[in-house]
Amino acid sequence: EADIYQTPRYLVIGTGKKITLECSQTMGHDKMYWYQQDPGMELHLIHYSYGVNSTEKGDLSSESTVSRIRTEHFPLTLESARPSHTSQYLCASTAEANEKLFFGSGTQLSVL
Amino acid sequence: DQQVKQNSPSLSVQEGRISILNCDYTNSMFDYFLWYKKYPAEGPTFLISISSIKDKNEDGRFTVFLNKSAKHLSLHIVPSQPGDSAVYFCAASVGDDKIIFGKGTRLHILP
């Protein structure tokens, strides 16, 4: 049912590398979100966007940045990865408020 | 301060019996509640939702109950099946605001 895609699924990189996690959706949703989740913890909102050229920081402070140049695309970038960035990153989208979020499969990031 | 609380980190239920997952919230302005299911290394998948104007919503084996006065909701799964073993997240939102998630409850369905 969900047409939201994240790449890569798994990524292992060294400290100091620049990385971009990709997220695309084909549902025409205006609202898109990035969550970070560690085992046994809640999903923490780190960035969101309500449309093209609109981005906001979420509740959890993050050293990552995002962009929203096209409706369907919402990439997340880490300029210099550190071991503390090791986590699962989940992208989601929705059409309207008070409607369910559709999630991608997630990117499991490990920084050595 | 957590606005959505799932106080049971894990729950074990016999196959065929009822699984009851609980969730408490602190913000009385929440007007929309959702349950998600998550397998390891995958994204959460939507299960069922309920608006604050209702107290029950049913979809197949899944039923969500909302008690606004107690600020409590629960998810009932009947009958429980092996494929139901996963982490279940409770979530809530108010108006046009962002969805807030709990920490999840890991459900183990025993053979």
Side-chain angles (χ1 to χ4, degrees):
Chain A
E1 177 188 324
D3 295 315
I4 179 165
Y5 308 99
Q6 288 186 245
T7 57
R9 286 290 305 274
Y10 302 92
L11 181 61
V12 181
I13 60 166
T15 297
K17 298 291 186 185
K18 177 181 178 178
I19 59 165
T20 296
L21 308 184
E22 300 289 347
C23 177
S24 294
Q25 50 95 5
T26 59
M27 297 173 282
H29 289 168
D30 284 327
K31 301 180 192 292
M32 295 190 74
Y33 306 82
W34 275 102
Y35 288 88
Q36 185 176 338
Q37 201 248 335
D38 296 311
M41 300 298 291
E42 60 264 60
L43 280 69
H44 287 289
L45 182 66
I46 52 175
H47 296 283
Y48 63 99
S49 167
Y50 286 169
V52 171
N53 294 327
S54 153
T55 61
E56 301 287 344
K57 288 190 178 294
D59 303 320
L60 181 68
S61 174
S62 173
E63 293 161 344
S64 57
T65 60
V66 292
S67 63
R68 189 87 183 276
I69 298 172
R70 304 195 314 268
T71 298
E72 62 271 22
H73 194 213
F74 191 39
L76 180 145
T77 298
L78 275 166
E79 290 293 332
S80 179
R82 293 207 302 270
S84 61
H85 295 140
T86 294
S87 188
Q88 186 182 35
Y89 292 83
L90 296 160
C91 181
S93 73
T94 187
E96 300 290 339
N98 280 6
E99 286 198 11
K100 63 185 180 184
L101 288 175
F102 291 92
F103 280 89
S105 298
T107 294
Q108 186 63 49
L109 174 65
S110 295
V111 184
L112 306 177
Chain B
D1 183 34
Q2 273 194 290
Q3 296 189 63
V4 178
K5 301 178 183 179
Q6 294 178 258
N7 293 318
S8 298
S10 67
L11 175 69
S12 295
V13 175
Q14 209 76 35
E15 181 180 352
R17 305 295 290 268
I18 182 172
S19 294
I20 300 176
L21 297 117
N22 294 303
C23 178
D24 297 297
Y25 60 95
T26 57
N27 187 347
S28 58
M29 299 299 291
F30 283 143
D31 58 6
Y32 186 58
F33 303 88
L34 313 93
W35 283 94
Y36 280 83
K37 175 180 176 180
K38 186 180 185 298
Y39 294 119
E42 292 187 14
T45 54
F46 171 78
L47 274 178
I48 193 167
S49 63
I50 187 167
S51 162
S52 60
I53 63 173
K54 294 184 174 182
D55 54 19
K56 178 183 174 181
N57 189 25
E58 197 170 351
D59 184 2
R61 294 187 299 117
F62 304 94
T63 303
V64 56
F65 295 91
L66 175 63
N67 182 334
K68 289 185 288 295
S69 61
K71 296 194 188 71
H72 178 83
L73 68 156
S74 61
L75 174 68
H76 292 211
I77 306 173
V78 181
S80 300
Q81 298 174 354
D84 296 331
S85 292
V87 177
Y88 289 78
F89 288 95
C90 172
S93 67
V94 51
D96 199 26
D97 207 353
K98 306 167 285 294
I99 294 178
I100 309 294
F101 287 82
K103 288 188 175 183
T105 296
R106 183 175 297 278
L107 177 64
H108 301 271
I109 303 302
L110 307 171

